[in-house]
């Protein structure tokens, strides 16, 4: 059984995404080099202007374009301040995308996000719970436990509510 975590599409804060999408088709699997350079420049301008979300958006652009090493570097820079970066780094460590494969570190990040007390990571919490259950089921990064897998999957299915 392949031990690969699900990569969920992340919600986009519409200001920067919509602004860039007016000029470029961001649904394209691979952007041409000129478009990629212009988008990167536009995002860097946003970062220089103080747009904190643009820091994540730059990493996500790299991730979606398969530039995993660049994505890894960018997400590491903002790990402590951006829960979406934490989620993506969890996937990257687990699957060895842009970094050495370290499923244990990937699961640690997923659990950290799954247990995140703030409301900022709510949209990714159930994905992290599901992925944690998968790790326990597949014995990847943690000791195999059907009970733990089930517990995490129930939380994910209930969107975090143990009462349902």
């Amino acid at each position: 059984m392949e031990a690969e975590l699900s990569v969920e599409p992340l919600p986009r804060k519409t200001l920067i995404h919509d602004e860039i999408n007016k000029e470029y088709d961001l649904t394209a699997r691979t952007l041409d080099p000129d478009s990629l350079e212009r988008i990167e420049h536009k995002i860097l301008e946003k970062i220089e202007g103080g747009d904190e979300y643009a820091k994540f958006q730059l990493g996500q652009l790299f991730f979606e374009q398969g530039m995993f090493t660049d994505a890894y570097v960018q997400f590491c820079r903002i790990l402590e301040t951006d829960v979406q970066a934490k989620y993506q780094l969890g996937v990257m460590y687990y699957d060895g995308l842009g970094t050495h494969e370290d499923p244990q570190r990937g699961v640690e990040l997923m659990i950290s996000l799954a247990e995140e007390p703030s409301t900022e990571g709510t949209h990714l919490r159930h994905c992290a719970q599901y992925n944690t259950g998968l790790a326990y089921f597949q014995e990847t990064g943690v000791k195999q436990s059907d009970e733990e897998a089930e517990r995490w999957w129930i939380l994910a299915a209930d969107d975090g509510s143990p009462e349902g």
Side-chain angles (χ1 to χ4, degrees):
M1 185 178 290
E2 184 133 343
E4 209 170 274
L5 294 184
S6 64
V7 179
E8 302 298 322
L10 298 174
R12 305 187 188 275
K13 294 187 180 178
T14 57
L15 294 179
I16 190 168
H17 184 262
D18 288 349
E19 182 179 326
I20 292 171
N21 206 29
K22 286 178 188 175
E23 296 178 49
Y24 306 98
D25 178 15
L26 293 181
T27 62
R29 280 305 240 188
T30 305
L31 294 167
D32 65 84
D34 289 339
S35 295
L36 182 62
E37 185 177 332
R38 286 194 296 270
I39 293 170
E40 183 179 352
H41 180 72
K42 187 174 277 268
I43 294 173
L44 288 170
E45 284 178 349
K46 294 282 187 185
I47 292 170
E48 289 170 11
D51 185 338
E52 289 298 311
Y53 183 70
K55 293 176 182 178
F56 169 78
Q57 201 66 34
L58 180 61
Q60 189 64 15
L61 173 68
F62 294 147
F63 186 91
E64 290 175 1
Q65 292 300 305
M67 300 166 61
F68 297 119
T69 302
D70 293 328
Y72 174 79
V73 169
Q74 183 61 23
F75 290 145
C76 284
R77 287 180 182 145
I78 59 174
L79 172 63
E80 298 303 319
T81 59
D82 193 297
V83 295
Q84 293 181 127
K86 183 184 286 189
Y87 181 86
Q88 291 300 67
L89 279 170
V91 170
M92 294 175 82
Y93 275 114
Y94 194 91
D95 294 330
L97 301 172
T99 185
H100 65 282
E101 191 172 310
D102 186 352
Q104 184 175 358
R105 177 70 175 133
V107 173
E108 288 170 1
L109 289 169
M110 288 293 163
I111 291 172
S112 172
L113 181 56
E115 296 175 339
E116 178 76 36
S118 78
T119 57
E120 186 182 354
T122 303
H123 64 287
L124 291 173
R125 189 168 293 128
H126 69 280
C127 299
Q129 292 165 338
Y130 172 83
N131 285 337
T132 300
L134 185 64
Y136 274 103
F137 184 74
Q138 295 178 334
E139 192 175 12
T140 306
V142 290
K143 185 177 179 199
Q144 201 285 332
S145 170
D146 290 342
E147 294 79 18
E148 277 299 297
E150 181 180 16
R151 182 176 79 82
W152 283 105
W153 284 338
I154 287 171
L155 287 171
D158 292 338
D159 199 22
S161 170
E163 286 82 38

